[in-house]
Amino acid sequence: MQIVGYETEREGGASGEDGSDGDGNDERVCPALVVANEEGVRRERLDPGRDLGYALGERRCAGALDGATHYDCANETAPYCDQHTSTWVCARCTGSCLKDEMDCYDDHAIYLAAFAPATFKVGVTKEWRLRTRLREQGADRAAHLRTVENGRVAREIESQLAEEFTDRVRVPDKISGLHRDVDESAWRDALAEFDPVETFDFDYGLDLSSRPVAETLATGEVVGVQGRVLVLARGGTTYAVDLRSLVGYEVREGESQRQLQSSLGAF
């Protein structure tokens, strides 16, 4: 049995994608691990309060998923080997299209996302997907700065704003702020030059009093998931797990016996 992917929490959109019922009614999709074995592929939901019990074995390429079909790969490179690594060309765009023909003609939202305590990231996404994108990243707060007619214009503006704000936040930096609130004064100052279309305040229900210990494990009680960071409680300590770091691991059911670092509160 192998962990071959993960899904972050999503909210449905009017287009029927990302979990909506197709009639414009939003439906929350719970985060999950995607696990494959000889019987097929299944989603292991990461609902708060659930006891997760997987011991990690060897790690290798997670292969490829096509709907409910998993294509296994024996290559050692994890989470994906060169054969199964895909590069989203639009992620590198700064306004000059890298495709043979530009196809991003949907309305695009330019946003500023806040990660506690005071990291502010500029980004762009298709307008209808804005809330989903923000939750995928685990943003604590966000502001929809403006809407433009296509992705090329959005990337040009993003590139300009990236001179003032970061356009990438590493997972360790997100973990370091999981137990903290956004600095109100710094967030207010960041938005001072804009007239946002809308602002957002997200609650992932973690309610942490101290910074969780960064670890790679799949055993413990699920506290919650913020973006791609899974928080587990085990032995009086809370652990923060980057879900991507689990992809590719062979797993077996049963608690891990590996010795883990404990927080001071565990003693």
Side-chain angles (χ1 to χ4, degrees):
M1 185 161 53
Q2 185 184 26
I3 297 174
V4 296
Y6 63 90
E7 296 177 357
T8 57
E9 184 180 39
R10 306 195 307 271
E11 293 181 344
S15 67
E17 299 186 40
D18 291 319
S20 75
D21 58 15
D23 295 320
N25 297 317
D26 288 347
E27 182 177 297
R28 184 68 55 81
V29 177
C30 180
L33 287 173
V34 182
V35 180
N37 58 21
E38 60 276 6
E39 298 177 357
V41 178
R42 70 173 187 268
R43 296 175 72 254
E44 291 286 356
R45 289 171 56 104
L46 299 174
D47 297 292
R50 177 192 171 171
D51 286 324
L52 195 65
Y54 283 127
L56 304 182
E58 297 296 320
R59 195 182 188 202
R60 57 184 171 84
C61 177
L65 283 171
D66 183 6
T69 302
H70 174 244
Y71 297 95
D72 194 40
C73 179
N75 291 333
E76 295 181 357
T77 306
Y80 301 102
C81 67
D82 291 342
Q83 182 180 350
H84 293 110
T85 298
S86 59
T87 301
W88 183 41
V89 66
C90 295
R92 303 199 308 270
C93 176
T94 58
S96 298
C97 189
L98 301 175
K99 295 182 178 180
D100 293 334
E101 183 176 350
M102 179 176 143
D103 59 4
C104 52
Y105 291 104
D106 292 349
D107 285 351
H108 277 61
I110 302 160
Y111 63 82
L112 193 65
F115 300 87
T119 298
F120 307 127
K121 171 191 177 292
V122 63
V124 304
T125 188
K126 292 180 179 179
E127 185 181 30
W128 64 265
R129 202 175 181 277
L130 178 57
R131 288 184 64 91
T132 291
R133 179 61 182 145
L134 293 169
R135 294 192 75 95
E136 283 176 346
Q137 296 180 76
D140 292 297
R141 293 190 184 183
H144 177 183
L145 302 181
R146 70 183 279 197
T147 299
V148 294
E149 62 270 24
N150 60 53
R152 180 186 60 80
V153 175
R155 289 295 187 183
E156 288 177 348
I157 296 172
E158 178 192 35
S159 181
Q160 295 167 8
L161 290 175
E163 297 178 4
E164 180 179 358
F165 304 101
T166 185
D167 58 2
R168 180 172 299 180
V169 183
R170 297 171 60 250
V171 169
D173 295 329
K174 295 179 182 180
I175 290 175
S176 69
L178 288 179
H179 64 298
R180 305 181 67 179
D181 295 324
V182 173
D183 185 313
E184 293 280 359
S185 177
W187 180 233
R188 188 167 53 248
D189 289 345
L191 294 182
E193 63 184 279
F194 304 104
D195 182 16
V197 177
E198 185 179 7
T199 57
F200 306 89
D201 193 349
F202 296 107
D203 182 4
Y204 301 89
L206 298 183
D207 194 25
L208 300 174
S209 58
S210 60
R211 176 179 176 173
V213 177
E215 260 291 0
T216 301
L217 75 160
T219 298
E221 180 181 343
V222 176
V223 177
V225 179
Q226 182 164 338
R228 77 181 207 202
V229 179
L230 165 66
V231 179
L232 296 172
R234 182 181 178 192
T237 297
T238 54
Y239 296 95
V241 184
D242 181 352
L243 288 172
R244 181 176 169 81
S245 71
L246 295 177
V247 175
Y249 272 106
E250 294 280 356
V251 294
R252 59 177 175 79
E253 295 188 4
E255 292 191 356
S256 172
Q257 301 303 311
R258 182 166 56 92
Q259 292 295 313
L260 302 171
Q261 179 182 349
S262 298
S263 64
L264 294 175
F267 299 96

